[in-house]
Amino acid sequence: MQSDALQGGFTDAPVQSAQAFRAAMNAMARPGRAETLDAATPPNPVSRAAGTLILTLCDPETPVFLGNSHDTPAIRDWITFHTGAPLVGPEMAAFALGDWAALQPIAQFRSGTAEYPDRSATLIVEVPELRTEGAVLSGPGIQETTLFSLPEVAPFQQNATLYPLGLDFFFTCDSQVAALPRSTKVEGT
Amino acid sequence: MTDQAYNFAYLDEQTKRMIRRAILKGLAIPGYQVPFASREMPMPYGWGTGGVQVSAATLTPEDTFKVIDQGADDTTNAVSIRKFFQRTAGVATTEETDKATVIQTRHRIPETPLGEDQVLVYQVPIPEPLRFLEPRETETRKMHSLEEYGLMHVKLYEDISQHGAIATSYAYPVKVEGRYVMDPSPIPKFDNPKMADCPAIQLFGAGREQRIYALPPYTKVVSLDFEDHPFDPSKADHACDLCGAGESYLDEVITDDAGGRMFVCSDTDYCRARREAGHLGAQAAVMEEEAGA
């Protein structure tokens, strides 16, 4: 293990994780609206927002899948040291981290069962930018509609048809995060 | 002042992560009850252990915290929970609804409309709306998965056949986004319409029953009813005797053993603010006199 893996975590975990969770909760409750997450400094190419999410939500109880864009020894060591989360294949993962291409096909992740739709994966997708333009989102958490730059439209429409099953997404870029839960309806423009 | 003998907000970090993951799932599937590993809290089940655990996972040091019990800020349960987080999380506290960022509640929604930057945490005794109709968890879980809610409509229909109207007056079942039937916790049905299209995040915690569920802002929440017996969010046909409010939910208070009684706002902060603004009810003068004597 490189000693770099020991760096870049929370300096005051209880308070920083509480603040980070509130940002993540606000993001999940208001799909498509960006929040700031910048408490962690993970190894490249993991964004600060994605690193902070992992420190806030992952622990030995949550298997993590790394897409090949993010599957480096430095990242593996960093996640293992700071969270203790087991690194697994996509079909076992509770959380997955990678860029959009590295996480394909998203059907490989668990989408829950009819009786326990919560037993599904949450995908942390690193994107080049978060913009309020592109796909039209509507559903719980959105007053009427909102615009958001999704990497594609069809996979998210397909995901929403599985409701109440399905995957939930965080999109991260630098120190910004936005979310798209399974309950959101997506229309292309 | 934060009590240094405890971790921030009392619970250990791994427990809070587990609760936080459950809250995120709850927000992603509005109205679905997410199982969570509820912890022993330093208060008995039935005193809001579910709400306290959700608040502990949600609070940040920057928050201003308010606790109400049946609308009142000054009851034992509300005071002790407020002090608990004052000590363990160092948060500021308030009794004023519009100054609070996190509000934990037992059995009421504040009269003052909530805003986008607020979180309402409900204490829930029995999260399963079908529990008194079907005691087996395996069966109710199947009923939710199959969207099989006929039994609930039969129950409401039996109310009508026996009493001529839907007699359920609190914990009145709602349907969330056309999918899950949800127990809104034992709030009076008067409060049900406030849950729909609410700008605030609503979180529900049931400690003994180990369930968390949630409503994101602007979620569709519909009280179950029939075309010929529409939902009626009724309240006592009276105005508040202290502040004169005609639109607030009222408690009936027995004042002597000769049939004397008065109706007062259940939301103490709402009532106080109205009286301070100069609104007076029918018995306000009498109360002032007695307080002064």
Side-chain angles (χ1 to χ4, degrees):
Chain A
M1 181 188 269
Q2 300 291 311
S3 62
D4 292 352
L6 311 185
Q7 309 297 317
F10 289 152
T11 50
D12 182 4
V15 169
Q16 287 176 315
S17 59
Q19 290 162 337
F21 170 69
R22 276 296 274 284
M25 178 174 88
N26 283 332
M28 190 58 87
R30 298 186 170 87
R33 189 189 290 190
E35 299 277 338
T36 301
L37 275 182
D38 59 0
T41 316
N44 281 330
V46 185
S47 66
R48 293 169 70 88
T52 308
L53 270 182
I54 284 178
L55 296 194
T56 306
L57 299 173
C58 298
D59 59 29
E61 295 172 1
T62 57
V64 172
F65 168 74
L66 295 175
N68 56 23
S69 59
H70 286 62
D71 194 359
T72 69
I75 295 173
R76 286 178 160 256
D77 286 350
W78 191 79
I79 292 178
T80 304
F81 175 74
H82 288 280
T83 71
L87 299 171
V88 298
E91 65 289 341
M92 293 287 291
F95 289 90
L97 171 65
D99 65 25
W100 180 242
L103 296 174
Q104 300 305 314
I106 60 168
Q108 65 189 325
F109 296 102
R110 292 189 302 171
S111 60
T113 66
E115 295 185 0
Y116 293 94
D118 56 304
R119 294 181 183 172
S120 56
T122 301
L123 273 50
I124 302 170
V125 186
E126 300 265 33
V127 292
E129 52 186 346
L130 297 175
R131 284 173 292 122
T132 50
E133 59 185 55
V136 183
L137 311 185
S138 61
I142 302 167
Q143 197 165 10
E144 280 166 11
T145 59
T146 189
L147 299 178
F148 182 66
S149 54
L150 289 172
E152 267 184 87
V153 169
F156 299 100
Q157 290 176 324
Q158 166 64 23
N159 184 56
T161 62
L162 300 175
Y163 189 84
L165 277 57
L167 307 171
D168 306 313
F169 300 87
F170 283 108
F171 298 96
T172 51
C173 170
D174 200 9
S175 60
Q176 297 292 108
V177 63
L180 187 89
R182 64 194 78 179
S183 58
T184 303
K185 288 164 199 73
V186 179
E187 281 173 57
T189 44
Chain B
M1 190 58 208
T2 311
D3 195 324
Q4 295 298 326
Y6 295 104
N7 189 28
F8 172 73
Y10 185 77
L11 292 171
D12 61 280
E13 288 307 297
Q14 184 148 353
T15 298
K16 283 191 279 185
R17 271 195 298 272
M18 174 270 296
I19 295 170
R20 286 167 179 160
R21 291 193 296 259
I23 292 172
L24 292 181
K25 294 285 188 197
L27 286 166
I29 319 167
Y32 166 72
Q33 301 163 51
V34 186
F36 82 110
S38 179
R39 299 293 194 250
E40 294 253 359
M41 296 302 286
M43 62 186 70
Y45 286 135
W47 285 69
T49 54
V52 165
Q53 290 178 77
V54 170
S55 292
T58 306
L59 282 170
T60 68
E62 295 77 30
D63 276 313
T64 305
F65 191 51
K66 169 182 162 89
V67 189
I68 53 172
D69 176 359
Q70 303 260 19
D73 292 271
D74 52 3
T75 53
T76 312
N77 198 195
V79 171
S80 62
I81 292 172
R82 198 161 58 227
K83 282 207 172 139
F84 177 73
F85 282 116
Q86 219 170 359
R87 264 185 75 180
T88 60
V91 290
T93 60
T94 183
E95 295 193 359
E96 292 173 52
T97 302
D98 44 15
K99 289 194 178 148
T101 52
V102 178
I103 304 173
Q104 182 171 330
T105 174
R106 173 179 173 272
H107 305 188
R108 270 316 305 280
I109 299 175
E111 304 288 353
T112 312
L114 300 174
E116 284 225 341
D117 47 3
Q118 293 181 306
V119 181
L120 185 61
V121 178
Y122 295 76
Q123 301 173 198
V124 182
I126 307 284
E128 178 49 71
L130 304 166
R131 182 60 69 233
F132 292 111
L133 307 171
E134 169 52 66
R136 289 167 295 179
E137 169 69 13
T138 47
E139 290 302 307
T140 53
R141 192 157 281 281
K142 206 174 287 173
M143 290 158 78
H144 281 294
S145 74
L146 297 172
E147 233 175 313
E148 175 50 71
Y149 295 125
L151 204 54
M152 185 55 90
H153 278 103
V154 171
K155 193 250 176 201
L156 296 176
Y157 169 75
E158 283 180 351
D159 265 13
I160 294 170
S161 66
Q162 283 180 19
H163 307 288
I166 297 175
T168 306
S169 57
Y170 65 95
Y172 192 105
V174 294
K175 195 160 200 183
V176 180
E177 286 287 330
R179 179 58 181 82
Y180 283 101
V181 165
M182 183 188 97
D183 185 328
S185 87
I187 59 171
K189 67 177 174 180
F190 174 80
D191 281 342
N192 273 22
K194 296 182 200 163
M195 307 180 95
D197 273 318
C198 175
I201 297 174
Q202 302 175 75
L203 306 175
F204 299 76
R208 182 190 54 221
E209 305 290 320
Q210 315 201 320
R211 295 291 184 272
I212 284 170
Y213 50 106
L215 296 173
Y218 310 113
T219 297
K220 283 193 217 100
V221 181
V222 179
S223 302
L224 298 181
D225 62 0
F226 298 98
E227 274 175 24
D228 51 346
H229 285 271
F231 173 73
D232 171 29
S234 63
K235 65 180 271 282
D237 189 15
H238 217 276
C240 173
D241 281 325
L242 293 181
C243 76
E247 303 298 315
S248 70
Y249 190 74
L250 301 173
D251 287 337
E252 183 179 1
V253 182
I254 307 296
T255 52
D256 55 35
D257 57 2
R261 59 182 190 160
M262 63 191 293
F263 289 91
V264 296
C265 291
S266 126
D267 186 332
T268 52
D269 171 59
Y270 178 77
C271 196
R272 181 192 50 73
R274 275 182 56 87
R275 274 178 284 142
E276 283 174 5
H279 298 281
L280 287 180
Q283 295 191 44
V286 184
M287 296 299 286
E288 290 286 310
E289 227 168 76
E290 284 177 6

